[in-house]
Each structure stands twice: as structure tokens, then as C-alpha cells.
Amino acid sequence: MSVQNDAQKEQEKLINPAVLQRTGFATALGAVFATIGSAVGLGNIWKFPYLAGANGGAAFIIVYLISTLMVGLPVMVAEIMMGREARANAIETMRKLSPSKSQPWWLIGVSGALAAFLIMAFYTEVSGWVFAYVFKSISGSLLSTDPEVTSQAYASLVTSPFQSLLWQWIVLALMSLIIIRGVSKGIEATTKRLLPLLLVLLVIIDVRSLTLPGASEGLRFLFNPDFSKLTGAAILTAVGLAFFKLSVGMGTMTTYGSYWKDNQNIPSTTARVMLSDLAVSMLAGLAIFPAVFAFGFEPSAGPSLLFITIPSVFASMPLGNIFMVLFFLLTSFAATGAMLSLFEVPVAFLAESTKMGRVKATVVTAVLLALIGSTAALSSSTMADFTIFGKTMFDLYDFVSSNLLLPIGGLFISIFAGWFWGADNIRKALSNHGMLKNDLVVTGLIVIIKFVTPILLIVVLLNGLGIV
Ligand code: PHE
């Protein structure tokens, strides 16, 4: 692109109202809520438990913890700081911070936007089932201790093209309504209300689950490692989960970072986001496994753990119908905060790089998501036989985004931040331009971002894909 063209583009951007009137989260606390809201999601309640169940319980959790610390958290720091420095959407941030305009670093942003679409495609579907389950549990139609019956209820939902699409579209419409209201009035206001409620409900269910006779078996499962199940592919899955959980490797945190306040302490706040997310995963594990074992169900039931086993587990306990409603309600709250952040990636980009404005950008995104998402929604019905590499579209989107796009995106983000944007810029950004005295922490982070994260990611990717 010629210099003149670039200058012209800059000019046009400045006249774009979405760029001119760019706002962010109204308060530092609101930024924290929204960011935790992005991290906490179906990952904690749907993915984390079944992946831990299938890959050796505590052994998988240990690898997941290491991945979170050495890979997930550093990439989160990198994304938030670059987003905040550039004050722009994920693609524009990479373009702005790139040391030379001829280097195509903005492609990281593009791959991130692609990942956001793929994740949203299956995420809105699972969220749709969760919303449907809130209603089904209120109506009492899920109240059976026989997994055969609950599995029928699940099958009738997912194998009906009409119901699958309907619930997905309901979810998309709800998210659009919140996104249209804006970053502060929409995202921040919603997550600020939902997160505390989510926590209260989760703790209530924890107490119920942990006080059941026979709950200790579930604790043993969560905390007793079985290392024999840890294959290279399982380790890649743990790393992929760490990325998915912290919403990193694809520009969500870059976008949210661009809405953070100038005086927020990035290393300590991101660490708190990570710890809160971890706490919710553990609380979800403690809500689920003790109860599953107490009633003699199988923990490694795969993704259906949430939709087939859990309802039977609740049906087995006194007042189970009430706990079931609360459980699916809290899951729908968790899913909402995460979806808002996924939605925001393309919306921010479209609104700021075209003249369409936020409302149109939201509608365009929602329509695109409905189109791509429908291929995931129909994966258990009309399109069940349509597979690529033996995977339905639903499974393919999940695999490609979590196990490929996010780790590869994270690899390039850490390389870009550490080696091209560079240590000096990182120092400035993480010390809030000299306002914070956190030299030691920042030096440690620079070493991790430059060396540890990229090397670990390369090894895990090559190994997990069976290349070495
Ligand atoms: N972190 C979210 C969860 O655990 C999912 C997510 C991934 C959200 C990527 C945004 C970006 O459910």
C-alpha cells in the first residue's frame, strides 16, 4: 500500500464517528467485571468438567494450570496492553503497533476475527441449549433420575432443526440487543449485574453438592491425578482450553483492553481475572463431580455431561428441580458475558473501519453468525452426515478454534509483542508510562512473553498434532 493511500486512510478514520467518539468501560471496576465476564463462560461449566473427566482428572487440571500461567496469562497481558496502547479494535491494533507498515501483522487480527466467528457458531448453539434448559427445568420436563429419559429430552432438542435454529437465533437476538447499547451501557452494565448473581448461585449449588453422602468420591476424582491419560493430544487440549478459558489468542482481550482505563494496573488485574476464572472452574467442578459420584453416575460422559447426566443428578436430590433451574440459569449468565466479548470483536472492527456505525455493524455480525452458526446448529440433525476429517461442523469449529487458531494466534501475539513491538514498549505500557513501580514483575513478564510462551507453544503444537 502506498504512503499516500495510508495517509488518506488515516484521514478517513479520523472523520469516522465510531473512531472519533470512541469510548470504553466507564469505570475500572466495570472493566474488570466485563473482562472476567468474558473469561467465565461455558468453558468453566461445560468444557472444563468433561475435558477433565476424559483426560485423567487432576492430571489434566495440573497441565491446564501450568498452561494458564505460562501461556494463557502472558498472552492476556500482551493483548490487553497492546489494545490499551493502540486504543483500537483487534485488527487495527496490530496495524497501528506494527514497526513497519509492510509487515502483515494485522493478519493476526484477521485470524482472530475468524476464530471469533467459528467459536460463536458453536457457542451460540450450546448457549441456546442452556437457555432452552432453563425453560425445560422450570417446566419440570427434565426431572427424571433415569439418564435414558434425560438423554431423550436432549436428543429431541438437538435433533430438531427447528428448535436448534430457534434457540440459537433467540440467543443471537438477545446478544445483539445488549451489544447495540454500547460498550459501557451494554456490556459493562450487563456483566456487572450477572457476575455476582452467578457466583451466589454457584456457591449455593456447591454447598448442596458437597454435603451429599458419598460426595468425597467426586473430590478424589478432581484431586487425584492419573497421569497415564496424558498424551500429547491431551496436553494440546489443555493448552487450547487455557486459551479458550481466558478468551485469548484471537483479539477479544485486545478489543477489551482498548476499553480499559489508562491507570489500571495490567499485570495485577489480569492475574485477578485469571484467578477468578480458575475459581469459577473449580467451583463448577465441585458443584458437578461430588453430586455425579454421590448418585453413582459416570463422570467421563463427554460433552453430554451437562445436558444428560446433570439433570438426572439434580432429579436424584431433594428439591432438585429448584437446584436445576438455578444451575442452568447461572450457566446462561456465564455464557452471556463470554458471548458479548466474542460479538464485540467483529462489531468493533466493522464499526471503526467502515462507516456503518455500531447498530448496522451489530446487525451484519448477527446475520453472518446466524448463517455460519446454522451449520453448527444443524450438526446433530440435517447436517449430521456432513463431515470434514470425520468431524461434524460443530466439532470441527470447536477443534479448529481451540486447538489450532487460538494457540497459533497466541504464538504470533507473543512473538509480535516480545520481539517486534519490543521490551521498551512493554515496559512503558505495563508501568502505565512510569506511574507504577513494578520493574521486577514486568521484567519477568517480558522474559516469559519473549521466550517461555512461544517455545512452549511451538513444542505443544508440534507434539499435539503428531508432527514430533
Ligand atoms: N472464555 C469463554 C469461556 O470460557 C469463551 C471465549 C473464548 C470467550 C474466546 C471469548 C473468546 O466460555
Side-chain angles (χ1 to χ4, degrees):
M1 190 180 295
S2 73
V3 177
Q4 201 182 351
N5 256 344
D6 257 353
Q8 203 176 349
K9 253 181 126 177
E10 283 308 324
Q11 275 297 319
E12 276 172 16
K13 286 235 167 65
L14 289 180
I15 330 176
N16 181 346
V19 176
L20 262 183
Q21 300 152 13
R22 200 170 202 284
T23 54
F25 297 124
T27 64
L29 187 68
V32 176
F33 270 117
T35 311
I36 298 179
S38 166
V40 167
L42 291 173
N44 310 61
I45 300 161
W46 170 64
K47 257 178 185 254
F48 174 80
Y50 87 75
L51 287 176
N55 293 296
F60 179 84
I61 297 178
I62 292 171
V63 179
Y64 167 71
L65 281 181
I66 299 172
S67 320
T68 302
L69 275 179
M70 287 298 142
V71 181
L73 186 59
V75 175
M76 184 165 172
V77 170
E79 285 192 29
I80 300 253
M81 77 182 171
M82 294 198 290
R84 193 179 67 176
E85 285 303 299
R87 293 272 178 228
N89 61 74
I91 296 178
E92 184 62 21
T93 291
M94 288 302 169
R95 215 181 61 83
K96 257 190 176 170
L97 300 187
S98 174
S100 144
K101 295 290 168 247
S102 61
Q103 294 170 359
W105 290 106
W106 51 271
L107 282 175
I108 300 178
V110 174
S111 123
L114 178 68
F117 273 103
L118 294 191
I119 294 176
M120 270 302 257
F122 71 88
Y123 210 93
T124 46
E125 186 52 24
V126 182
S127 306
W129 300 339
V130 172
F131 280 65
Y133 264 52
V134 172
F135 287 92
K136 283 178 191 278
S137 49
I138 291 175
S139 76
S141 68
L142 292 171
L143 211 59
S144 167
T145 54
D146 182 359
E148 278 299 313
V149 177
T150 48
S151 115
Q152 275 300 320
Y154 174 65
S156 75
L157 176 64
V158 302
T159 59
S160 152
F162 173 74
Q163 286 208 50
S164 307
L165 290 175
L166 178 74
W167 284 106
Q168 185 177 46
W169 292 350
I170 291 177
V171 166
L172 279 172
L174 268 175
M175 295 310 121
S176 307
L177 288 178
I178 301 174
I179 287 286
I180 279 179
R181 306 206 57 193
V183 175
S184 174
K185 290 208 184 90
I187 300 175
E188 184 178 353
T190 307
T191 46
K192 231 162 125 179
R193 292 199 184 105
L194 294 187
L195 266 188
L197 270 176
L198 181 162
L199 196 65
V200 172
L201 295 183
L202 192 52
V203 170
I204 295 177
I205 303 208
D206 273 320
V207 172
R208 172 65 287 200
S209 174
L210 287 167
T211 50
L212 288 166
S216 58
E217 191 64 28
L219 294 180
R220 210 163 301 136
F221 173 79
L222 260 183
F223 297 113
N224 247 356
D226 169 7
F227 285 100
S228 67
K229 288 199 179 138
L230 273 186
T231 57
I235 294 175
L236 177 57
T237 302
V239 171
L241 179 66
F243 274 98
F244 185 86
K245 277 303 324 107
L246 292 183
S247 315
V248 294
M250 49 162 288
T252 311
M253 288 301 171
T254 313
T255 308
Y256 269 23
S258 77
Y259 302 138
W260 275 36
K261 301 245 149 237
D262 281 323
N263 60 359
Q264 282 185 276
N265 183 335
I266 295 180
S268 80
T269 312
T270 47
R272 272 187 286 153
V273 171
M274 181 275 281
L275 287 175
S276 315
D277 177 60
L278 196 62
V280 174
S281 290
M282 292 320 280
L283 288 176
L286 290 177
I288 293 172
F289 291 117
V292 165
F293 279 93
F295 296 108
F297 291 100
E298 267 297 310
S300 44
S304 57
L305 179 63
L306 181 59
F307 297 104
I308 296 175
T309 314
I310 301 265
S312 307
V313 169
F314 281 117
S316 310
M317 58 177 77
L319 295 181
N321 49 344
I322 296 178
F323 288 109
M324 193 175 345
V325 175
L326 297 184
F327 181 83
F328 284 108
L329 207 57
L330 83 87
T331 308
S332 73
F333 293 167
T336 299
M339 282 190 287
L340 293 177
S341 69
L342 283 160
F343 225 113
E344 183 62 22
V345 176
V347 169
F349 171 71
L350 284 176
E352 290 171 5
S353 60
T354 67
K355 291 207 179 76
M356 63 172 72
R358 192 169 175 91
V359 177
K360 257 203 201 142
T362 308
V363 175
V364 170
T365 304
V367 170
L368 283 175
L369 281 172
L371 287 176
I372 307 177
S374 65
T375 59
L378 299 176
S379 277
S380 303
S381 52
T382 328
M383 290 178 62
D385 294 328
F386 185 82
T387 57
I388 295 178
F389 302 123
K391 291 185 191 305
T392 61
M393 292 300 105
F394 183 106
D395 292 334
L396 188 74
Y397 298 158
D398 187 1
F399 180 84
V400 170
S401 56
S402 297
N403 291 19
L404 295 178
L405 289 178
L406 300 191
I408 293 172
L411 175 64
F412 282 107
I413 288 168
S414 55
I415 291 177
F416 174 75
W419 297 90
F420 290 84
W421 199 49
D424 286 344
N425 282 324
I426 299 184
R427 255 179 227 294
K428 274 187 214 136
L430 293 185
S431 69
N432 293 353
H433 295 254
M435 299 302 283
L436 300 171
K437 296 284 159 264
N438 53 358
D439 261 0
L440 211 61
V441 174
V442 172
T443 307
L445 275 167
I446 291 175
V447 172
I448 295 179
I449 291 175
K450 270 184 106 154
F451 301 101
V452 183
T453 307
I455 292 173
L456 276 180
L457 277 174
I458 291 173
V459 173
V460 168
L461 271 164
L462 293 180
N463 186 335
L465 297 175
I467 299 171
V468 287

